Amino acid sequence: MALEDHFGDVKGKTLAWVGDGNNVLHDLMLGGAKLGMNIRVATPEGYEANEGILETTKKLAAEN
């Protein structure tokens, strides 16, 4: 994974996203949560992340 190649262990690091709630954001949310990262997201109103992905991300974050 490129983030781990660059930063080493990413657990506890913060991943920020500013933009539309699209498939790239969804993948970063899920992957970041699995790796124990803190995730901060800012999207325009009406372009939020998918609610189902958000719920899954919250569950993964609680586990990791």
Side-chain angles (χ1 to χ4, degrees), residues 11-33:
K11 186 172 184 125
K13 296 225 182 331
T14 299
L15 175 66
W17 174 271
V18 178
D20 294 351
N22 58 30
N23 62 318
V24 176
L25 170 59
H26 295 155
D27 289 344
L28 288 172
M29 288 170 58
L30 294 168

Side-chain angles (χ1 to χ4, degrees), residues 30-64:
L30 294 168
K34 286 181 180 180
L35 294 172
M37 297 181 78
N38 300 309
I39 303 165
R40 303 291 180 252
V41 175
T43 59
E45 190 173 324
Y47 293 91
E48 295 87 1
N50 177 282
E51 192 65 35
I53 298 291
L54 185 59
E55 290 304 316
T56 301
T57 299
K58 288 178 182 179
K59 289 177 186 172
L60 289 170
E63 295 170 2
N64 296 296

